[in-house]
Amino acid sequence: MKTFNVYKHPTYGIEAVKVGFSWPAFLFSPIWMLVKKLWGLAGAWVAACSGLTLAEKAIDFEDKLNLSDVSRAQALVYLLVYLILAAGYFFLWLVPGFKGNKWREENLTKRGYEQITTVQAETPDAAVALAVKLSQQSALADAARPRQ
């Protein structure tokens, strides 16, 4: 079972967001961000990825692979820069997996959704169904209470 935070909007309905790591955000970062309406983050992600790519092209590693033409110190600098760029790419793919669901919750709150409950379920659809069932039971219990 997975834990889901369930959000409700008066017009747009109910959304369930899994707590924890998001595999879709990790594997398909920019597409996932666009599908989940995280426009600013998607733009920032594409800009950061483009910046890393431009930096890589500016350094032009392909010409530097012939190490017979460079000194040992230059080769170490190229290696260090390459490792920093590789870490940057890795970071760009990893962070959305860890932060994606939290970003989505913040985005839903900004768009007028309110968290109504947290439930244990197998899928987001099951979490929504359980949340609806729980809210109906709560409404029935409130209606059955004597008024004072």
Side-chain angles (χ1 to χ4, degrees), residues 36-114:
K36 300 302 181 184
K37 299 179 182 173
L38 299 169
W39 316 120
L41 288 169
W45 192 93
V46 169
C49 194
S50 298
L52 286 174
T53 302
L54 288 173
E56 186 177 356
K57 296 297 179 191
I59 294 167
D60 197 17
F61 283 110
E62 291 177 15
D63 288 345
K64 310 301 190 248
L65 290 179
N66 185 1
L67 295 180
S68 63
D69 296 343
V70 297
S71 70
R72 181 176 286 252
Q74 286 175 320
L76 288 174
V77 169
Y78 295 143
L79 178 62
L80 180 63
V81 170
Y82 181 76
L83 290 174
I84 291 170
L85 287 171
Y89 282 120
F90 184 69
F91 179 79
L92 271 178
W93 285 102
L94 194 59
V95 168
F98 282 104
K99 299 288 284 180
N101 288 332
K102 194 51 104 176
W103 292 337
R104 185 162 177 237
E105 288 179 348
E106 291 169 2
N107 183 266
L108 288 172
T109 302
K110 287 178 189 173
R111 291 176 28 218
Y113 285 79
E114 290 185 27

Side-chain angles (χ1 to χ4, degrees), residues 7 23 31 55 60 68 131 137 144:
Y7 291 81
W23 283 102
I31 296 168
D60 197 17
S68 63
Q137 289 174 351

